[in-house]
Every structure is written in structure tokens, then in C-alpha cells.
Amino acid sequence: MITAIDSGAYQVSGVMATSDDTGKVVVNAVFQVQSNGFNSGRISNMDDATHTLAQVIDGLERKSGETIKRVWCSVSGLEPQTKWVKNVAPIDKKYILQPDVSRLIYGCMEKLRTPDTGFLHILPHTYKVDGVTVNSPLKMQGRSLSVDTLICTAHRSIRDNIRSVFEDCGVVLEHLAVDAYMSALAVITEQEYDLSYVMVIDIGHNTTSVSILFQGALIWCKTLSIGAKDIADDIMNATSMQLNMAQEYKHKLSVLASQNDVADNNRALSYTRAGEDVIYNDVTVQDISKIMEDGYTRIFATVQDNIPPEFSGINRVVLTGGGARANNVDILAHQVLDANIRIGDPIQVTWNGHKPLMTSPVAIGLIKYSNQHTAIDDQYYIRKEDFEYNGPVFHRIWQWLRNNV
């Protein structure tokens, strides 16, 4: 059983589930609480964050009847840095062996390693033997071996503080992952894996995470400091209503849209203004909907402005996250991004028990990720396919790395 926790700025969602090599996930327990102690990918208060995570862990344990010892986690707003690193090494043996590949990938990491670097994902993409691209270099002969690797990092102190909070909860943080990547793993279909480029936009509370995949492999991601809360702020500023009421009306209209229900556009909404007890009725559903549409248009324009030029013109975009439930959000995205838009829910997921109204795609992505990756030491994970061409070899690789790198 794998435990995955998505620590967002609005709520923290935990999932206990199993997964197989085909990506199918069976969920056994889900528990969510309001987020406290997290802010934009960082721990804002250690005690509050510990209490929040302890609530989730306790809730999952009570629902599943199992004791949690290890956790896979993602924190929204981590602001990951992605860099492509190439490493070339001579082949000093007759055949390329697993330690040669291991040493090559570690060499990529060493090129980025500083006292402040916290590694999150090590993603080898292209191997070449004597300049010729190969799927697997193992057992091949040649004079040189190279690899192009995408490495995702965050500031080491962010990762270490999150790890400390889990230790205070009595569990081990197995791996800290990038939320944009995890969302993509949860919602991408088999057909989309075959496409050249797919962009996944996860609209969260404080941030929007964007990832771009090429034939199913992550090639770029970024966290933007704009999210659903900015739309609630727009409602508050335009109407003078209290922020909590602005958030409530935004949420209610999004829920109606997710249930394919239609609100009466002309219906007046009752609200109070900050510092006043008077009840006002001069704002309609249509007024709030228009503010929300303008806000989502701004979010998609921000995404468009941040996409690297080499990735412009992507024709397939998947929207996910709590902020992707508003009415007409797919239409607004199409108008800005000029792409085919799909609202993405986690796929290949079944439930033992009652299915909740909404489930964190990040948490489901973490479950899938845990089954697709293997440890190369105490902290770093890499795709199993990069280290298991000849069956389970984790123990030999790990020992070799410890002794030689």
C-alpha cells in the first residue's frame, strides 16, 4: 500500500492506494483537511504544518486500518527549476554495463550539485553510443556513451524542512515530487502519450503548475504565482464583499459547473461588505461569472507568456485541479491558447468504497510514480526502465554507487 499526500495551499489531500505496472490504481482511503502551515511551496510554520499532516496521516490510518510508515509527497508551489544536462563518458570495457549507466547519470547530477541544491527528479531522456541514439545502451559495444537528462531541483532547505515535518509526524518522507509532473502522470491518456507534445495545466489555490510532455516524458515544467485565489480576490475587489464570501460563491459556481448544473444568471446574491453588517443584494450570478471568466483568461494568458518559444504551438492541453471546474473554463483556455482543450480527471482509478466528489490528481500521480520508479540511493528516484533492463538490479546498483561514486 502506498501513501501519497498532496500538500496544497488550500487543502492537504491524502490517498492510500495500490498500483500496478499498467498504471491502474486502486484507492483504499482518502482524507482531506484544510491546509495550515504551508504557503507557496514552503513551510510557513513548522508546528502548524506538522499538525496538518498528522491529521491527514491519522485520518488515513483510521479509514484504512493500516499503519503508515512511509509517504510520497508533493507540495504545490515548489517553484522547481528544470535543466537539461548532457554527460559523455568513454567506454573502458568491452560491453556497456549497468554501472557505466549509473555513473553517467550521477555525473549529470554532479554538474548541478551545490550546497543549496535539492534534487527532485532525475529523468534520463536520450542515450547515445558513439553518437547514435539507442533505447538501451546495455550490452552494446562502443567507445563513448552519452545521456541527455532533465533534472528538476528546488532549494535544499525547502526539501529538508518538509522532510523534517514528516519526521515529526513519525513517518519517513520517501520522495518529494513536483506537483506539475504528478498531475500529468494522473490525467494523461494512452492516446496522449503517443502525441508529440501535450501540456498539462493544474490550476491550484495560490499557484498554477504547468508541465509539457513529449511522448509521455516530462521535458519542461514551471509553477506560476497565480491561481484560483486571485479570482476570489477579483470578486472581492469588484464587489467589496468579504473575501470568505467571494471564495464561497466562486466555489459554489465551480461545483455547479462540475455537476453540469446551471445557475440562474439573474439571481441576486446576498453578501456583506468588510466591516459592515448590512446585507446587500446588488450582485448577480452573471456578475460573478463575468469576473471569474476574466480571471481565468488572465491565468491562461500568464501561462501563454511563460511557455518557452520552442514549445509554442502545442495543440493538446489538459486542464486539471480544483480551479479547472469553473463554467466555460475549457472555452476560455481555447480562446487564449488556441489548442484542443480537455478537462482531465485521474484515469485508470477504481475505488474500494465511496468515491469522493473530487480527488487530487497530484496524489494519484504520486501513486503511479511510486510504482514506475526505483531508488538509486536514500533520496533520489529514477525510472525503473532506466535501471532494470535485465530484471531487478536495485541492490547491485545501490551497492556499486555507494562504493564507487
Side-chain angles (χ1 to χ4, degrees):
M1 189 80 70
I2 304 297
T3 302
I5 294 180
D6 171 20
S7 300
Y10 183 71
Q11 69 178 16
V12 176
S13 303
V15 171
M16 292 185 72
T18 57
S19 179
D20 61 22
D21 292 338
T22 67
K24 294 180 180 178
V25 175
V26 179
V27 177
N28 290 275
V30 177
F31 195 82
Q32 299 173 333
V33 298
Q34 184 173 347
S35 181
N36 193 15
F38 297 91
N39 184 29
S40 298
R42 298 173 183 267
I43 303 290
S44 58
N45 185 293
M46 295 291 284
D47 291 337
D48 290 344
T50 300
H51 179 69
T52 299
L53 293 176
Q55 283 183 291
V56 175
I57 292 168
D58 179 67
L60 290 173
E61 289 181 334
R62 284 188 285 106
K63 283 192 170 186
S64 67
E66 297 193 11
T67 300
I68 296 172
K69 296 181 179 180
R70 309 182 78 85
V71 170
W72 297 67
C73 178
S74 179
V75 179
S76 66
L78 265 178
E79 298 184 359
Q81 302 295 315
T82 57
K83 290 188 178 180
W84 285 96
V85 181
K86 182 174 183 177
N87 195 25
V88 183
I91 300 172
D92 54 5
K93 304 179 183 67
K94 183 176 181 180
Y95 299 104
I96 298 172
L97 302 176
Q98 190 67 67
D100 299 314
V101 179
S102 306
R103 184 170 54 242
L104 192 70
I105 293 172
Y106 255 83
C108 292
M109 296 171 64
E110 289 303 317
K111 291 185 178 184
L112 296 184
R113 192 184 299 277
T114 71
D116 295 330
T117 301
F119 291 100
L120 301 177
H121 299 290
I122 317 298
L123 305 173
H125 275 258
T126 306
Y127 292 102
K128 291 184 179 181
V129 177
D130 292 343
V132 179
T133 300
V134 297
N135 291 329
S136 167
L138 291 180
K139 299 182 180 179
M140 290 189 176
Q141 300 182 48
R143 295 184 177 182
S144 68
L145 173 64
S146 68
V147 64
D148 292 312
T149 303
L150 181 68
I151 298 181
C152 300
T153 64
H155 199 284
R156 188 185 186 96
S157 65
I158 298 176
R159 190 195 66 186
D160 291 347
N161 284 333
I162 295 171
R163 192 179 299 276
S164 295
V165 168
F166 278 102
E167 290 176 354
D168 291 342
C169 293
V171 299
V172 175
L173 176 60
E174 187 79 18
H175 187 61
L176 180 64
V178 175
D179 57 342
Y181 184 24
M182 298 303 102
S183 293
L185 291 179
V187 303
I188 291 296
T189 64
E190 290 186 14
Q191 293 78 12
E192 287 165 339
Y193 267 101
D194 294 332
L195 297 177
S196 294
Y197 293 98
V198 177
M199 179 162 58
V200 178
I201 302 174
D202 187 339
I203 305 174
H205 185 64
N206 281 348
T207 60
T208 295
S209 301
V210 187
S211 58
I212 296 177
L213 292 86
F214 177 78
Q215 295 181 347
L218 181 71
I219 57 173
W220 180 83
C221 65
K222 188 170 185 178
T223 300
L224 307 176
S225 299
I226 186 171
K229 182 180 179 298
D230 293 275
I231 298 176
D233 290 340
D234 292 342
I235 296 172
M236 178 188 68
N237 294 330
T239 64
S240 299
M241 71 172 59
Q242 297 182 43
L243 179 59
N244 63 331
M245 301 191 76
Q247 291 174 331
E248 180 181 351
Y249 280 130
K250 181 188 72 65
H251 177 70
K252 285 182 177 179
L253 292 181
S254 297
V255 169
L256 288 174
S258 68
Q259 297 174 343
N260 295 319
D261 200 352
V262 179
D264 180 6
N265 281 335
N266 295 319
R267 180 166 64 89
L269 302 175
S270 299
Y271 70 97
T272 57
R273 295 175 179 173
E276 297 184 18
D277 295 328
V278 179
I279 297 177
Y280 293 86
N281 296 283
D282 55 353
V283 174
T284 66
V285 169
Q286 186 173 12
D287 295 330
I288 300 297
S289 297
K290 180 61 170 62
I291 297 171
M292 290 176 63
E293 288 180 0
D294 292 343
Y296 279 108
T297 298
R298 190 170 73 254
I299 289 176
F300 296 130
T302 303
V303 171
Q304 182 82 296
D305 291 342
N306 280 272
I307 298 173
E310 60 267 31
F311 301 135
S312 61
I314 292 177
N315 192 42
R316 168 68 74 173
V317 175
V318 182
L319 306 180
T320 189
R325 302 298 167 184
N327 193 35
N328 295 329
V329 68
D330 52 340
I331 297 174
L332 297 170
H334 173 73
Q335 292 173 350
V336 176
L337 302 173
D338 190 24
N340 294 318
I341 309 294
R342 180 176 70 83
I343 306 298
D345 289 314
I347 61 173
Q348 292 185 297
V349 180
T350 57
W351 309 83
N352 281 339
H354 177 69
K355 178 182 177 181
L357 179 63
M358 293 183 65
T359 303
S360 163
V362 173
I364 298 299
L366 279 164
I367 299 293
K368 295 187 176 186
Y369 179 85
S370 69
N371 194 61
Q372 297 169 359
H373 291 70
T374 190
I376 59 172
D377 67 11
D378 288 339
Q379 297 181 10
Y380 311 125
Y381 277 75
I382 197 163
R383 287 192 304 261
K384 288 182 180 179
E385 63 191 66
D386 291 306
F387 278 87
E388 295 188 355
Y389 294 108
N390 295 321
V393 293
F394 160 72
H395 182 72
R396 296 200 310 275
I397 298 168
W398 188 61
Q399 291 296 331
W400 185 91
L401 290 170
R402 284 298 181 93
N403 295 332
N404 296 276
V405 178

